[in-house]
Amino acid sequence: MRVLGVDPGLTRCGIAVVDGGTGRKLSCIAVDTVRTPVEAELAERLLAVSNAVENWLDLHKPDVVAVERVFSQYNVQTAMGTAQAGGVVAVAAARRGLKVEFHTPSEVKAAVTGSGRADKAQVTAMVMRLLKLQEKPGTADAADALALAICHIWRAPMRARLAEAEQRAAELARVHKARLAQARKGAKR
């Protein structure tokens, strides 16, 4: 599975591509940080993020895109910018028919380090170890993008099995309700 991981942001947007799968070695294909000037208009900044992501999608051809979910932030303006950047990433992926999965920061930290409360240094260290990187990936945002991709590679099979089980359970419940309704009709006669 090839995953494009994106840690959305307006000033710095981490972006990375990782190959891997269940029981397979992880490989860092590419990693970078997209930067936009703070003084630029919002629309220009979102366009710059969108253009960069679209270039990466076309160049690396991922199977899925993993984006950090804006969970909660005290700074509303930062949260809005992060959500807007994540939105342009989702739109770019959807245009190409790619599935977009959102992961919370604590989910990513837990997947990569074993603790949902890990700090940036711990996440970076584990990403370097897991991908056998000799150097830090430039920025914490780039390391987070790698961590998002790794998280998705590891959690996607479990999520798929869970969704399948939920579908089976819903179908069984539907069949059971139909049988009960049929039994009630038979008892009234």
Side-chain angles (χ1 to χ4, degrees):
M1 175 188 314
R2 177 166 282 192
V3 179
L4 176 73
V6 182
D7 180 26
L10 283 177
T11 305
R12 289 178 320 278
C13 179
I15 187 166
V17 177
V18 175
D19 280 348
T22 306
R24 288 185 34 224
K25 186 181 95 167
L26 296 168
S27 300
C28 175
I29 304 305
V31 61
D32 200 2
T33 303
V34 178
R35 297 173 190 272
T36 67
V38 178
E39 65 278 357
E41 292 291 324
L42 174 62
E44 291 174 25
R45 296 175 81 186
L46 291 171
L47 180 60
V49 170
S50 179
N51 288 341
V53 168
E54 293 202 26
N55 288 337
W56 276 60
L57 290 170
D58 293 339
L59 178 65
H60 298 291
K61 305 209 180 316
D63 301 308
V64 65
V65 177
V67 180
E68 185 173 277
R69 178 184 306 280
V70 179
F71 196 59
S72 69
Q73 290 185 337
Y74 298 107
N75 185 332
V76 175
Q77 190 171 2
T78 300
M80 288 294 294
T82 301
Q84 290 166 325
V88 298
V89 171
V91 168
R95 279 194 182 120
R96 287 159 178 77
L98 295 172
K99 188 168 184 163
V100 179
E101 293 286 341
F102 293 88
H103 299 277
T104 65
S106 59
E107 179 184 0
V108 174
K109 291 173 184 180
V112 174
T113 70
S115 169
R117 295 176 176 241
D119 63 24
K120 296 255 184 215
Q122 291 169 312
V123 171
T124 300
M126 281 306 296
V127 162
M128 289 177 64
R129 184 174 297 152
L130 292 167
L131 294 170
K132 296 178 177 41
L133 300 177
Q134 300 302 312
E135 298 177 13
K136 288 183 181 178
T139 65
D141 307 281
D144 287 350
L146 287 166
L148 275 151
I150 293 167
C151 172
H152 186 76
I153 288 168
W154 287 351
R155 297 218 169 176
M158 178 197 59
R159 280 184 166 187
R161 285 191 306 273
L162 186 59
E164 189 178 302
E166 286 173 345
Q167 274 186 321
R168 281 196 315 264
E171 178 61 20
L172 288 172
R174 189 188 63 70
V175 169
H176 181 70
K177 284 180 184 177
R179 285 182 182 162
L180 286 175
Q182 191 68 24
R184 278 190 219 115
K185 282 182 184 177
K188 289 181 181 180
R189 289 185 194 164

